[in-house]
Amino acid sequence: VSDGVSISQDRIIKSEDSDNWRQIMINHVINTTKDKITSCKIKIKEETGSNKAVDIMVGVATKYIASLKSCYSGQYMYGYVFGSAGYHYNYGQYWNNTKRWAPNDTIEVQICNYKLTLFVNDYKSLEWEMKKYPHLHEQELIPVICITRGSCCEFLGVEEK
């Protein structure tokens, strides 16, 4: 867990009220073999920061990228995240999908065959084919949650299907 983030025993993740992004890596290596689905789920809680916004990202990255401080995984080549502001991010680029998240929304990100699928409240919201950079297939990917500005979520778990 990054400095500036607290995780309670009931799996509530909360960021301090600052502009620095914090990352939480979920210690679960994703099985990227054909047709294996790994799912990571969170529930957005009431915003608690001074800007009263939900600033959370969920996706996948390498353990090394997820361990970096004051950044979010989507700034790097092997980091792929969906954001609560309606964008998805990879290697410093972003794309607008105009699908924002609100408190009490349940967010699920699934990865299968290097394709990410975003579900909001069990509604299939977006599919995103991961760009296959050189050596991507050699990387061990893990689920990652990025959080900032006093945002808060409940970690609901990781599941393989």
Side-chain angles (χ1 to χ4, degrees):
V1 176
S2 294
D3 294 339
V5 172
S6 63
I7 301 177
S8 69
Q9 285 192 311
D10 53 356
R11 305 193 314 171
I12 303 297
I13 301 168
K14 184 177 179 195
S15 167
E16 68 182 13
D17 192 11
S18 78
D19 287 338
N20 290 330
W21 281 98
R22 310 297 185 181
Q23 300 195 102
I24 298 91
M25 64 174 135
I26 310 303
N27 194 16
H28 179 94
V29 175
I30 294 168
N31 183 345
T32 55
T33 56
K34 189 168 177 60
D35 300 328
K36 294 288 185 181
I37 298 172
T38 301
S39 168
C40 179
K41 229 180 202 186
I42 65 168
K43 183 173 181 126
I44 306 295
K45 295 297 195 180
E46 286 293 322
E47 58 280 322
T48 58
S50 58
N51 72 341
K52 296 293 183 200
V54 174
D55 287 312
I56 298 174
M57 298 181 190
V58 182
V60 299
T62 65
K63 283 185 180 182
Y64 176 75
I65 289 171
S67 73
L68 298 173
K69 303 206 181 301
S70 299
C71 62
Y72 58 90
S73 295
Q75 293 172 307
Y76 301 93
M77 181 179 284
Y78 300 121
Y80 305 79
V81 291
F82 293 102
S84 58
Y87 294 87
H88 50 290
Y89 305 81
N90 170 244
Y91 202 22
Q93 299 176 43
Y94 60 92
W95 301 268
N96 188 343
N97 61 40
T98 66
K99 295 168 172 75
R100 298 179 69 99
W101 311 342
N104 298 313
D105 283 347
T106 298
I107 307 303
E108 179 180 4
V109 174
Q110 291 182 353
I111 179 173
C112 181
N113 299 327
Y114 294 99
K115 179 169 50 175
L116 295 168
T117 306
L118 171 67
F119 293 85
V120 179
N121 299 320
D122 298 321
Y123 173 76
K124 186 177 186 177
S125 184
L126 183 68
E127 288 186 334
W128 179 22
E129 191 76 33
M130 294 167 62
K131 186 165 183 174
K132 293 191 176 83
Y133 296 106
H135 311 289
L136 175 62
H137 67 283
E138 299 166 17
Q139 306 301 312
E140 284 191 336
L141 299 172
I142 60 169
V144 64
I145 300 167
C146 308
I147 192 166
T148 191
R149 297 187 187 107
S151 291
C152 188
C153 69
E154 178 182 359
F155 176 63
L156 300 177
V158 171
E159 179 182 6
E160 287 194 15
K161 302 175 183 177

